[in-house]
Amino acid sequence: MKAKPRSLLAIESLDSRQILDILALARRMNPARPRTTLRGRRIALLFYENSTRTRTSFEIAAKSLGASTVVIHATTASIEKGESLKDTGRTLQSIVDAIVMRHPSSGAPMLLSRLIEIPIINAGDGMHAHPSQGLLDAFTILNHKKSLKGLKIVTIGDIFHSRVARSDAHLFSKLGARVVFCGPDVLLPNTATELAPGVEIVRDMETALKGADVVMMLRVQQERLQGMQINVDEYIRRYQLTASRLKLAKKDAIVMHPGPMIRGMEMTDEVADCKQSVVLEQVLNGVKVRMAILQTILGGRR
Ligand code: NCD
């Protein structure tokens, strides 16, 4: 049996057993029934990039386990004064037990984890990884489907810039799902295997949706386009999830979105609020899964 992970940097370093253990623990977690298992532990939330959902849910998760938190925004801390990532990490290490970190550069949490001793939990790094989102997405799917084995999971939108797409793809294919990506050419990687093993690219949205069990919609990441021009009308015409397109998926297909969702762009209001949409459930599940992640990494005897 593999040891408990020391840090959570990317899905690739977890085996299926560790993933299923975290998901099973998340099933027993409920922020409405707080625990005290991490009482006395201090967790720093070090955010170099904006976040609403991820930061709040890590914070609620930590507090629901009895830990205390300190939120550090890059704009307010001495990071602005030019302190290096290494110095910030070393300073935090002497006063906290773990760091939850979001950074615009891919690989920043991995770098920091090599420089300091305390666990690092990656809350999103550049275009690379967002492992807690991958875990909460899998958890949400498992609330509706018996297993991921054999499911057709279609992700549509800005795949190229999406750390969510990468972490989801690694996790879903580890658990046996068929992962299909769809989007405009400029928002797709050159080859599917650049993203994760076993992923297919289907360029036509109608074809991609056919027989899907899960439809995951992604936002066009305007902040990462770097001059790339996206014609919004054309995007909507070819890639927006409408009620009639959703009918191509299986009858019991669920619709997901990691947020923030731009209504009227990725999907219509009608789809966003339909019975098949589990977008709000993803948010609550985010807290449960992050409780399980923190408990796994910080819990038990040390
Ligand atoms: C995603 C992110 O930040 O990578 N959002 C999230 O964590 N809920 C996706 C996005 O920003 O579009």
Side-chain angles (χ1 to χ4, degrees), residues 49-55 102 123-126 129-130 132-133 136 161-165 217-221 223-224 257-261 266 290:
E49 216 184 56
N50 283 341
S51 161
T52 314
R53 252 159 289 256
T54 307
R55 203 206 61 231
R102 172 167 284 199
D125 63 320
H130 196 349
S132 64
Q133 182 73 41
L136 84 88
H161 297 105
S162 177
R163 51 198 175 205
V164 176
M217 301 306 295
L218 294 179
R219 180 176 72 89
V220 174
Q221 305 222 348
E223 70 278 25
R224 294 188 217 280
H257 195 304
M261 170 167 81
E266 295 96 81
R290 286 170 179 129

Side-chain angles (χ1 to χ4, degrees), residues 2 11 14 22 28 36 51 57 93-94 113 117 133 149 182 193 195 203 205 214-215 217 231 240 253 256 263 281 300:
K2 241 183 161 181
I11 294 295
L14 298 177
I22 293 173
R28 304 203 301 275
T36 53
S51 161
S57 66
Q93 170 164 253
S94 53
S113 77
E117 301 297 318
Q133 182 73 41
K149 223 172 245 140
C182 174
T193 43
L195 283 160
R203 287 167 208 278
M205 186 174 179
V214 176
V215 184
M217 301 306 295
N231 179 324
Q240 184 181 69
M256 304 176 72
R263 284 169 178 264
E281 190 190 317

Side-chain angles (χ1 to χ4, degrees), residues 71-187:
V71 181
I72 303 145
H73 299 283
T75 44
T76 55
S78 57
I79 299 156
E80 250 201 339
K81 299 177 193 155
E83 187 177 67
S84 72
L85 184 59
K86 183 175 171 185
D87 287 331
T88 305
R90 287 206 166 146
T91 305
L92 287 175
Q93 170 164 253
S94 53
I95 45 176
V96 301
D97 300 292
I99 299 176
V100 174
M101 174 180 177
R102 172 167 284 199
H103 200 284
S105 306
S106 304
M110 293 74 196
L111 176 73
L112 189 60
S113 77
R114 284 198 291 270
L115 299 171
I116 63 175
E117 301 297 318
I118 58 172
I120 309 279
I121 295 155
N122 183 1
D125 63 320
M127 290 158 42
H128 171 237
H130 196 349
S132 64
Q133 182 73 41
L135 287 160
L136 84 88
D137 288 339
F139 182 88
T140 304
I141 296 171
L142 287 170
N143 275 352
H144 297 270
K145 313 279 167 195
K146 273 198 221 74
S147 129
L148 264 73
K149 223 172 245 140
L151 291 189
K152 180 178 180 186
I153 305 181
V154 182
T155 303
I156 299 163
D158 183 357
I159 311 288
F160 184 74
H161 297 105
S162 177
R163 51 198 175 205
V164 176
R166 282 176 181 73
S167 285
D168 277 356
H170 279 284
L171 207 165
F172 298 164
S173 57
K174 257 184 216 258
L175 297 187
R178 189 179 149 206
V179 179
V180 175
F181 283 137
C182 174
D185 277 343
V186 287
L187 298 180

